[in-house]
Amino acid sequence: MEKRRVYLKLTSIPEAQAQILSFPSPLTGEKVPLELACGRVLAEPAIAKVSSPAFHGAAMDGIAVQAAQTFGASQSRPKKLLLGSQAFWVNTGAPLPFETDAVIMAEKVFPADPAVDGGTAVSVEEAAFPWQHVRKIGEDLVATEPILPQGTTIGPYELGALAAAGVLEPLVFRRPRVVFIPTGSEMAPLGSLTPEALRAGQKLPEFNSLVIKALIERAGGEATIWPIVPDDPQLITAALRKATAGSPDSPDAFDLIIINAGSSAGSRDYTAGIFQELGELIFHGIQVMPGKPTALGRVNGKPALGLPGYPVSAVTSFELLAQVLLKAWQGQTPPPRPKLPVRLFQPLASRPGLEERVRVILGRVGEEVVAAPLPRGAGTVSSLAKAHGIISIPAAREGLSLKDPVEAELIKDARAIDDSILIIGSHDNSLAILDSLLREKNPRYSLASAHVGSLGGLRALAAGLCHLAGSHLLGPDGVYNQRAIQENLAGQSVSLIRLADREQGLLVKAGNPLNITGLADLARPEVTFVNRQKGSGTRVLLDWKLAELGLEPRSLNGYDDEEYTHMSVAASVAGGRAEAGLGVKAAALALGLDFLPVGVEEYDLVILDKFLQDPRIEALLSVIRGPLFRSRLRELGGYGVERTGELIWSFAG
Amino acid sequence: MEKRRVYLKLTSIPEAQAQILSFPSPLTGEKVPLELACGRVLAEPAIAKVSSPAFHGAAMDGIAVQAAQTFGASQSRPKKLLLGSQAFWVNTGAPLPFETDAVIMAEKVFPADPAVDGGTAVSVEEAAFPWQHVRKIGEDLVATEPILPQGTTIGPYELGALAAAGVLEPLVFRRPRVVFIPTGSEMAPLGSLTPEALRAGQKLPEFNSLVIKALIERAGGEATIWPIVPDDPQLITAALRKATAGSPDSPDAFDLIIINAGSSAGSRDYTAGIFQELGELIFHGIQVMPGKPTALGRVNGKPALGLPGYPVSAVTSFELLAQVLLKAWQGQTPPPRPKLPVRLFQPLASRPGLEERVRVILGRVGEEVVAAPLPRGAGTVSSLAKAHGIISIPAAREGLSLKDPVEAELIKDARAIDDSILIIGSHDNSLAILDSLLREKNPRYSLASAHVGSLGGLRALAAGLCHLAGSHLLGPDGVYNQRAIQENLAGQSVSLIRLADREQGLLVKAGNPLNITGLADLARPEVTFVNRQKGSGTRVLLDWKLAELGLEPRSLNGYDDEEYTHMSVAASVAGGRAEAGLGVKAAALALGLDFLPVGVEEYDLVILDKFLQDPRIEALLSVIRGPLFRSRLRELGGYGVERTGELIWSFAG
């Protein structure tokens, strides 16, 4: 029996942040030339060294004059001014010649009589007042004036202000130096594994270092990535000793040490113990999910942070703790994410005692912003990139009901949410293609989809939770979708628009080793099946076909083993978890499976009529009806596109 | 008479954008390794090459089993499983051994009787259901699934998704190559001018290239800066020929040419003409202020953009046109700035026919966000860095009144506005020091100040337009501020808190060449004076002192020449525009002027009592009352800090 660790006490997020923030800043200042200063942070207030402008200058193109010499000029009694002594041509920005104090714009300057003056004089027809059209010295900046406070991040605009103020080598914080040490005997460098090795699973590609390095740099730090250290306490101890060596002033020493994985409560969790051995373990385990198995230690006086191994956990812990520390050392707080009240698409359960952070996609449907949760696993790294926002379920709660007032922190721009079309319902690969084409044509818009099956989509539509639903529900009358719409969308007006005809069939292993010939073979005892969830069109089709064959659903081995998308059904067959599943041809082609056609079904979009004039939906329909979408579907295979984009049926319930 | 150009027709912003966007994208795709991909933009949808996970893996630490072998287990009838054949210890993330399909968490696994089994077996007390605690193959990503659409900017999260999907060399757009050509015989490279040369004004430091380079890079481009080209049409033509040479595919050719300055309607405006000569002039002059003198041409098929010379104009034009183009070429729209309804602090006049973009500082006062305009000159580069937002006055309007509904585009984070303290009133250098110290202690908070003189500040306070006012108004009773508060803040409760005692005096040229000995000498005919604006405490003090001396204000030469800050009064004297001005000692010290004390005055903060409990104001008061603020004021000189932070008077009107 191996030794297991348990978390004696989980530290709250504010307490964990206070602990890590108690490490004083090791950052000294350094002078950098402006050319290299963009993105750096001022370590002291910037004080103007010169005034801007540094002299009285012309604010217009025209002539510089002494205002007093123009007094009394009028249209009937113009004043003549001698060029070179009383009037001087100046361009915008040029310094005023000595003793002049006003500029008369070029349009109001007239040639004096050339016959008399030989072009050496001009004439003006109105008086100038002193300092008209003059940019006075120091109008923008005055020497010695503090212009930018300490802690300012130098961006393009700040470069301009510093340059104008003659601060050509601002004092900025040196960048915090962070070392990231991946650990784990099962990890291999990204790119070193063949697809076969990946599928065998003996080694996993290490890419947290890639993500965290980018986050460190975004927080103003300098990241050093060390090679993967195997799960050997001695090797990890040696790495940690080396990483924490040196004083903050030595240029090769690190300010913050991040050690990745090995910090879960698993058997290979050495980090916390090593912190304790080499220095002090400040906490182990924080009240957040994902991110719980985070440890903080003090080794050689320096902060050493143990991040969990799963990508979403590692990112969450990094952002809550390391990013906050790096920013604080530079006199800043991390820019808070804007918050938005949202309506939950479905209740969210959670474990009390942990603040659960759920990534969601968001879309503005009518007046409300609807939040649909993404898969919550700490390993679902795609959810990091897909999420529009995060909903936090407080540690004291067991979840959020549909009635709870809920706010989402925005990860993407608020405008992206206003511009996103929310489709909820059945999953199909063509939706990702549609999203990509939509963005190519209209960079502002995007299609965000949540997959809950056809029936779930119609119900979401009825509840005003999405703009449209993808559906392929075969009715008892043999007609697709219409009966289900009548049953679920009473009182609504919707349009049923064909996205594509899809081939559905049995997905079986390449070469079909069990020689499955059709649905009837699913009842054979050695055939394991993977099903789709209740309410999905594919399941309805299966049940319809089984009934035709007179087969009892429960006679299928695996009828209750459910997946939520075609692709995951295909992956289950490809991975050997099941021998057969029902799905679209595209999924079989994608994973090199054999495909036994069962029939062609109609995959339609159900759109609330009130959204048909919405520019987002108009843009979407125009893409669906364009030639590019059809040709991409044809390339994918398994689709009929003859009626793609056609209005199949209008329903006013 | 030199030749002058006039703008025949100004192009509207949408029309100008449509014109520049008609240049098709020259950007081909290139593959970059993920390590170098952060910040790049996908040139095609990224398609998963592998599934993630690529195998069935343990989602918990525990034992992997065949679920069926545990059926029937209970506390009273535990099942014994042989290690190595029926049960396998697995760590989170490890692949499931062949034919296992469930994981039982470690906490629920018990040692079997060691006497009997010799540690080779374990015991479980409840049945596992199939696939429990298993991360199934493809749970996150399925091979061949489109995971990120074209046009996605690769950030830290996207790096993770691409790595997990095995997309190790994504196809990204090559960066658009932009050349920036500064022109102007009067320009010199930044840093090449001595302070004396700067003050003489014969040459100006060129720093637009620094600002625009950073903006180009932020828009995803590669910037090349060429040396300054003098105002010689032949040289500019040669530069433009060279810059537009080459086809988009040649690696040393540019995609966008930006030529700076020379595009105003001044005599040295060669750019538009040269566009016409070498190719086509598409427009010259756009309906925006600042930014009007912008020109777009097509030379060798490429877009050539002439940006105005003043920094704020150059930035405005760049952002409206070049940035939009660079983003569009990468399949993106520039992220729109969030908008916020605001209350104007003062009406804004503007010229019809031009959309005027006014930079403003913002602060949340009670329920409203108040906008105070920054100086509008196109040369006020500091306004770029100081502004929280921009208010646009539509081209059709002559300005905005206090009653107009107004929105500000936010440049700074919305949170920065909630966290900013708005002080309106008399200007003092100590306010910039206070802001810097406030941010050092509380990185979230900032002090934003608008300068309208003491009386203006009290009136703004009365109108609910700011949190506090800085005031030094000498009453007819010889007491500072109290009479003015009674007269202007009836019905309000305010606290009068001493910021500092200030020495006020005459600022005269170093060495006092005119031998000015006091205020009485201001009436000497050869002495020119620069005054402060009406309502400023300094002007009240002057009038009081002049009355004491029996001097008629109008007898002062320059009494009507007004400046709005101490520093600009000092700069006027330093620059030779006036011989004397009244101001604080700090301003004299700052610019090396002589200072003839006229008296000590009380500079106080007037705070609405209802804001005294506001955490921002509490933080501010704590900085004012701390030792650091006093010591910084002492360093500056000219301040008495004995009563700094003291509550002088409470007024309940």
Side-chain angles (χ1 to χ4, degrees):
Chain A
M1 193 99 260
E2 299 184 34
K3 193 185 147 209
R4 329 287 318 173
R5 273 198 196 78
V6 285
Y7 300 101
L8 292 176
K9 176 185 161 287
L10 295 180
T11 303
S12 73
I13 298 174
E15 170 64 14
Q17 289 180 328
Q19 290 283 4
I20 200 166
L21 287 175
S22 72
F23 283 89
S25 173
L27 305 185
T28 46
E30 61 188 21
K31 295 214 162 194
V32 293
L34 275 189
E35 289 72 25
L36 303 176
C38 200
R40 303 297 295 269
V41 179
L42 285 178
E44 64 178 13
I47 309 291
K49 292 198 173 171
V50 297
S51 299
S52 172
F55 53 86
H56 299 316
M60 291 286 219
D61 293 335
I63 53 168
V65 297
Q66 276 188 38
Q69 296 193 338
T70 66
F71 292 169
S74 68
Q75 224 167 338
S76 55
R77 300 189 45 153
K79 281 250 178 185
K80 194 166 77 176
L81 299 167
L82 288 176
L83 282 169
S85 58
Q86 294 175 308
F88 307 83
W89 282 110
V90 285
N91 285 305
T92 306
L96 289 201
F98 187 62
E99 293 202 326
T100 63
D101 64 0
V103 170
I104 300 173
M105 57 197 284
E107 288 83 336
K108 298 197 170 173
V109 180
F110 305 94
D113 184 345
V116 181
D117 305 300
T120 60
V122 291
S123 166
V124 295
E125 298 183 350
E126 59 188 64
F129 55 89
W131 306 113
Q132 82 175 16
H133 303 322
V134 173
R135 278 195 77 206
K136 294 178 191 171
I137 183 169
E139 190 175 285
D140 184 22
L141 293 166
V142 179
T144 77
E145 193 183 350
I147 52 161
L148 293 172
Q150 167 167 347
T152 301
T153 299
I154 301 174
Y157 299 162
E158 287 74 18
L159 287 175
L162 291 168
V167 183
L168 305 186
E169 285 213 324
L171 189 80
V172 298
F173 289 115
R174 76 163 170 79
R175 286 188 210 274
R177 291 184 293 259
V178 185
V179 61
F180 182 89
I181 312 172
T183 70
S185 301
E186 76 285 15
M187 306 309 285
L190 184 65
S192 68
L193 298 172
T194 62
E196 296 67 42
L198 279 171
R199 282 194 286 270
Q202 292 307 322
K203 289 277 185 180
L204 298 172
E206 193 289 304
F207 54 76
N208 281 352
S209 56
L210 193 70
V211 178
I212 301 291
K213 179 173 193 273
L215 288 172
I216 290 168
E217 288 169 354
R218 204 160 268 197
E222 243 173 51
T224 303
I225 309 297
W226 277 3
I228 298 162
V229 180
D231 288 312
D232 174 330
Q234 284 193 305
L235 294 176
I236 297 175
T237 303
L240 204 54
R241 270 190 210 282
K242 190 175 148 200
T244 52
S247 74
D249 296 334
S250 54
D252 52 350
F254 298 108
D255 303 307
L256 169 65
I257 294 85
I258 298 180
I259 182 157
N260 192 213
S263 62
S264 79
S267 57
R268 295 165 304 166
D269 170 21
Y270 301 119
T271 312
I274 296 171
F275 287 169
Q276 203 146 27
E277 207 180 294
L278 295 184
E280 179 192 349
L281 176 65
I282 299 174
F283 61 72
H284 186 198
I286 56 174
Q287 282 169 8
V288 71
M289 182 88 127
K292 187 180 74 162
T294 299
L296 178 67
R298 183 192 316 270
V299 179
N300 189 20
K302 295 177 181 184
L305 185 64
L307 291 189
Y310 274 131
V312 185
S313 313
V315 164
T316 304
S317 290
F318 179 90
E319 291 181 341
L320 285 174
L321 298 173
Q323 178 177 289
V324 170
L325 180 67
L326 295 176
K327 284 284 182 184
W329 280 350
Q330 299 170 83
Q332 302 186 320
T333 44
R337 292 178 174 143
K339 291 192 173 188
L340 207 63
V342 298
R343 182 174 166 200
L344 280 184
F345 164 65
Q346 56 193 46
L348 293 173
S350 86
R351 201 169 126 192
L354 291 174
E355 176 180 323
E356 192 163 354
R357 295 168 68 76
V358 181
R359 284 171 162 73
V360 292
I361 57 169
L362 300 169
R364 184 174 296 281
V365 182
E367 293 303 301
E368 288 175 313
V369 174
V370 175
L374 287 163
R376 291 200 238 175
T380 55
V381 56
S382 71
S383 73
L384 287 174
K386 278 184 198 151
H388 290 125
I390 295 177
I391 288 175
S392 289
I393 310 173
R397 302 287 303 274
E398 289 184 37
L400 295 174
S401 78
L402 295 185
K403 284 177 194 157
D404 285 316
V406 176
E407 280 197 321
E409 292 172 28
L410 300 190
I411 297 174
K412 302 257 158 76
D413 197 276
R415 178 68 169 271
I417 288 141
D418 287 342
D419 287 342
S420 110
I421 302 169
L422 203 53
I423 179 167
I424 292 184
S426 171
H427 175 264
D428 189 73
N429 274 350
S430 60
L431 297 178
I433 287 164
L434 193 52
D435 178 32
S436 218
L437 280 175
L438 175 69
R439 298 192 202 209
E440 269 174 58
K441 297 253 173 191
N442 312 271
R444 276 173 51 181
Y445 296 151
S446 65
L447 181 69
S449 53
H451 310 134
V452 295
S454 295
L455 195 58
L458 295 182
R459 287 179 179 153
L461 207 58
L465 287 161
C466 56
H467 299 104
L468 65 165
S471 181
H472 54 117
L473 283 170
L474 180 57
D477 49 0
V479 174
Y480 271 89
N481 295 319
Q482 301 188 9
R483 176 70 66 92
I485 289 172
Q486 284 168 333
E487 285 173 5
N488 288 283
L489 286 160
Q492 312 261 17
S493 291
V494 301
S495 295
L496 188 67
I497 287 166
R498 180 67 39 83
L499 192 68
D501 295 308
R502 301 197 302 190
E503 281 191 69
Q504 285 260 30
L506 283 175
L507 316 180
V508 299
K509 288 214 179 86
N512 194 4
L514 293 191
N515 195 25
I516 295 166
T517 58
L519 287 170
D521 286 337
L522 297 182
R524 282 159 50 192
E526 74 278 20
V527 176
T528 49
F529 181 70
V530 53
N531 206 351
R532 286 291 305 282
Q533 83 283 10
K534 283 194 196 80
S536 67
T538 303
R539 179 132 165 186
V540 172
L541 178 66
L542 176 75
D543 292 345
W544 168 282
K545 295 277 180 188
L546 292 180
E548 275 187 347
L549 294 169
L551 271 178
E552 177 59 36
R554 303 289 151 182
S555 68
L556 271 57
N557 183 6
Y559 183 85
D560 291 325
D561 184 12
E562 296 182 352
E563 279 294 353
Y564 279 74
T565 69
H566 294 279
M567 284 302 228
S568 49
V569 165
S572 290
V573 175
R577 195 179 116 214
E579 293 295 334
L582 192 61
V584 293
K585 187 171 182 188
L589 291 172
L591 296 197
L593 301 175
D594 280 9
F595 181 76
L596 312 173
V598 167
V600 169
E601 62 164 12
E602 301 171 9
Y603 186 94
D604 294 323
L605 299 181
V606 188
I607 308 182
L608 286 175
D609 285 348
K610 65 179 173 188
F611 293 130
L612 283 177
Q613 312 304 320
D614 185 306
R616 293 170 293 181
I617 303 296
E618 286 183 340
L620 187 78
L621 287 174
S622 136
V623 170
I624 292 172
R625 290 170 177 157
L628 211 47
F629 180 58
R630 287 169 197 230
S631 69
R632 294 247 179 121
L633 286 193
R634 273 200 210 97
E635 278 168 39
L636 209 57
Y639 290 99
V641 295
E642 290 67 30
R643 303 190 67 186
T644 289
E646 230 173 74
L647 175 66
I648 302 296
W649 188 54
S650 285
F651 171 72
Chain B
M1 191 101 255
E2 299 185 35
K3 191 183 149 212
R4 330 287 318 174
R5 272 198 196 77
V6 284
Y7 300 101
L8 292 176
K9 175 183 162 286
L10 296 179
T11 303
S12 73
I13 298 174
E15 171 63 15
Q17 289 180 328
Q19 290 284 5
I20 200 165
L21 286 175
S22 72
F23 284 89
S25 172
L27 305 185
T28 46
E30 60 188 22
K31 296 214 161 194
V32 294
L34 276 189
E35 290 70 25
L36 303 176
C38 200
R40 303 298 294 269
V41 179
L42 285 178
E44 63 177 14
I47 310 290
K49 293 198 173 174
V50 297
S51 298
S52 171
F55 52 85
H56 299 315
M60 291 286 221
D61 294 335
I63 53 168
V65 297
Q66 277 186 39
Q69 295 193 339
T70 67
F71 291 169
S74 68
Q75 223 168 340
S76 55
R77 300 189 48 154
K79 281 250 177 184
K80 194 165 77 177
L81 298 169
L82 286 176
L83 281 169
S85 59
Q86 295 176 305
F88 307 83
W89 283 109
V90 286
N91 284 305
T92 306
L96 290 201
F98 187 62
E99 294 203 326
T100 62
D101 63 0
V103 170
I104 300 172
M105 55 195 287
E107 288 84 336
K108 299 199 169 173
V109 179
F110 305 95
D113 184 344
V116 179
D117 304 299
T120 60
V122 291
S123 166
V124 295
E125 298 183 351
E126 58 188 65
F129 56 89
W131 307 113
Q132 81 174 17
H133 304 322
V134 173
R135 277 193 79 207
K136 294 179 192 170
I137 183 171
E139 190 175 284
D140 184 22
L141 294 167
V142 179
T144 77
E145 191 183 351
I147 52 162
L148 293 172
Q150 166 167 348
T152 301
T153 299
I154 301 174
Y157 299 162
E158 287 75 18
L159 287 175
L162 292 168
V167 184
L168 306 187
E169 285 213 325
L171 188 80
V172 298
F173 289 113
R174 76 164 170 79
R175 289 201 164 99
R177 292 183 294 258
V178 186
V179 62
F180 182 90
I181 312 172
T183 71
S185 301
E186 75 284 14
M187 306 308 286
L190 185 65
S192 68
L193 299 172
T194 61
E196 295 68 40
L198 280 171
R199 281 194 286 272
Q202 293 306 324
K203 290 277 184 181
L204 297 172
E206 193 289 303
F207 53 77
N208 281 352
S209 57
L210 193 70
V211 177
I212 301 291
K213 178 173 194 273
L215 288 172
I216 291 168
E217 289 169 353
R218 204 160 268 197
E222 244 174 52
T224 303
I225 308 297
W226 278 3
I228 299 161
V229 180
D231 289 313
D232 174 331
Q234 285 194 303
L235 294 176
I236 297 174
T237 303
L240 204 53
R241 270 190 209 282
K242 190 175 148 200
T244 52
S247 74
D249 297 335
S250 55
D252 51 350
F254 299 109
D255 303 305
L256 170 64
I257 294 85
I258 298 180
I259 182 156
N260 192 211
S263 62
S264 80
S267 57
R268 294 167 305 168
D269 171 21
Y270 301 121
T271 311
I274 295 172
F275 287 170
Q276 204 146 27
E277 207 180 293
L278 295 184
E280 179 192 349
L281 175 65
I282 299 174
F283 60 72
H284 187 199
I286 55 174
Q287 282 171 7
V288 69
M289 181 89 127
K292 187 180 70 160
T294 299
L296 177 68
R298 182 192 316 271
V299 179
N300 189 19
K302 296 178 179 182
L305 186 64
L307 291 189
Y310 274 132
V312 185
S313 313
V315 163
T316 304
S317 290
F318 179 89
E319 291 181 341
L320 285 174
L321 298 174
Q323 179 178 288
V324 169
L325 179 67
L326 295 176
K327 286 283 182 185
W329 280 351
Q330 299 169 83
Q332 303 187 319
T333 44
R337 292 176 173 144
K339 291 193 171 187
L340 207 64
V342 299
R343 182 175 167 198
L344 280 184
F345 163 65
Q346 57 192 47
L348 292 174
S350 86
R351 199 168 128 193
L354 292 173
E355 177 179 323
E356 191 162 356
R357 296 170 68 77
V358 182
R359 285 172 161 73
V360 293
I361 57 169
L362 300 169
R364 186 174 292 281
V365 183
E367 293 303 302
E368 288 176 312
V369 173
V370 175
L374 287 162
R376 290 198 238 175
T380 55
V381 56
S382 72
S383 73
L384 287 174
K386 277 183 198 152
H388 290 125
I390 295 178
I391 288 175
S392 289
I393 310 174
R397 300 290 301 272
E398 290 184 38
L400 295 173
S401 77
L402 295 185
K403 284 176 194 158
D404 286 317
V406 177
E407 280 197 322
E409 289 172 31
L410 300 190
I411 296 174
K412 302 255 158 79
D413 197 277
R415 179 68 169 269
I417 288 140
D418 287 342
D419 287 343
S420 109
I421 302 169
L422 202 55
I423 180 169
I424 291 183
S426 171
H427 175 263
D428 190 73
N429 273 348
S430 60
L431 297 179
I433 287 165
L434 193 52
D435 177 32
S436 216
L437 281 175
L438 175 69
R439 297 193 202 209
E440 271 174 58
K441 298 253 173 189
N442 312 271
R444 276 175 49 181
Y445 295 153
S446 66
L447 181 68
S449 53
H451 310 134
V452 295
S454 296
L455 194 58
L458 295 182
R459 286 179 180 156
L461 207 60
L465 287 162
C466 56
H467 299 104
L468 65 165
S471 180
H472 54 118
L473 283 170
L474 180 58
D477 50 359
V479 175
Y480 269 89
N481 294 319
Q482 301 188 9
R483 176 69 68 92
I485 288 171
Q486 282 167 336
E487 285 172 5
N488 289 284
L489 287 160
Q492 312 261 19
S493 291
V494 301
S495 294
L496 188 67
I497 286 166
R498 179 66 39 84
L499 191 69
D501 296 307
R502 302 197 301 189
E503 280 190 69
Q504 284 260 30
L506 283 175
L507 317 181
V508 298
K509 289 217 178 82
N512 194 3
L514 293 190
N515 196 25
I516 295 166
T517 58
L519 287 171
D521 286 338
L522 297 183
R524 281 161 49 192
E526 75 276 22
V527 175
T528 50
F529 181 70
V530 53
N531 206 350
R532 286 291 306 282
Q533 84 282 13
K534 285 194 195 81
S536 66
T538 303
R539 178 129 165 188
V540 172
L541 179 67
L542 176 75
D543 291 346
W544 168 282
K545 294 276 178 187
L546 292 180
E548 275 186 348
L549 294 169
L551 271 178
E552 177 58 37
R554 304 289 152 180
S555 67
L556 271 58
N557 183 5
Y559 183 86
D560 291 324
D561 184 13
E562 296 183 352
E563 280 293 354
Y564 279 74
T565 69
H566 294 280
M567 283 302 227
S568 49
V569 164
S572 290
V573 175
R577 196 178 115 215
E579 293 294 335
L582 192 61
V584 295
K585 188 172 182 186
L589 291 172
L591 296 198
L593 300 176
D594 279 10
F595 181 77
L596 312 173
V598 166
V600 168
E601 61 165 12
E602 301 171 9
Y603 186 94
D604 294 323
L605 299 181
V606 187
I607 308 182
L608 286 176
D609 285 349
K610 65 179 172 189
F611 293 130
L612 283 176
Q613 313 303 319
D614 183 305
R616 293 170 291 181
I617 303 295
E618 285 182 341
L620 187 78
L621 287 173
S622 136
V623 169
I624 293 172
R625 289 168 177 156
L628 210 48
F629 180 59
R630 287 169 197 231
S631 69
R632 295 249 178 119
L633 286 193
R634 274 198 211 97
E635 279 168 37
L636 208 57
Y639 289 100
V641 295
E642 291 67 30
R643 303 190 66 184
T644 288
E646 230 173 73
L647 175 66
I648 302 297
W649 189 52
S650 285
F651 170 72

